[in-house]
Amino acid sequence: AFAPCYPPEHPRYQFGVHQESCFVLFQPEESFFRHDIPPDRPRSETNWESPADIRDRIRVNFRKHGREYKIPETTRYPPIEAIVPPLDVNDPPVRFWL
């Protein structure tokens, strides 16, 4: 989800575009396979100093631009919790489905 409520330092900031709207984007697992994105891995396995692959480069680039996003220390987590992130990425997930 991208929305005008997210501040400029948030990974879901929408850069002032469509201030009256929010966007929820769904990305099927198939798209990762189609673009040869490596499997997910825990935050601690990210190569921050010398990115090894596209997944590392994306994570490093978000951090470099002050918009680091929450990367769990496990690959076994409910994906739904990442759809609408809290304003503070360290807060508990927004339970929008309840």
Side-chain angles (χ1 to χ4, degrees), residues 2-5 14 17-23:
F2 295 84
C5 63
Q14 65 185 50
V17 177
H18 301 288
Q19 288 292 321
E20 69 289 345
S21 302
C22 67
F23 302 92

Side-chain angles (χ1 to χ4, degrees), residues 46-77:
T46 300
N47 191 334
W48 298 102
E49 300 304 318
S50 182
D53 57 32
I54 186 66
R55 189 175 293 277
D56 283 353
R57 288 193 297 277
I58 290 167
R59 292 174 174 185
V60 167
N61 201 32
F62 269 81
R63 178 190 262 187
K64 175 181 165 186
H65 289 93
R67 293 185 181 91
E68 189 169 353
Y69 56 93
K70 186 173 185 172
I71 304 168
E73 274 305 330
T74 178
T75 58
R76 295 177 183 260
Y77 57 89

Side-chain angles (χ1 to χ4, degrees), residues 6 9 11 15 26 28 31 50 60 63 75 79 84:
Y6 294 116
E9 63 278 1
F15 297 90
F26 295 97
S31 66
S50 182
V60 167
R63 178 190 262 187
T75 58
V84 179

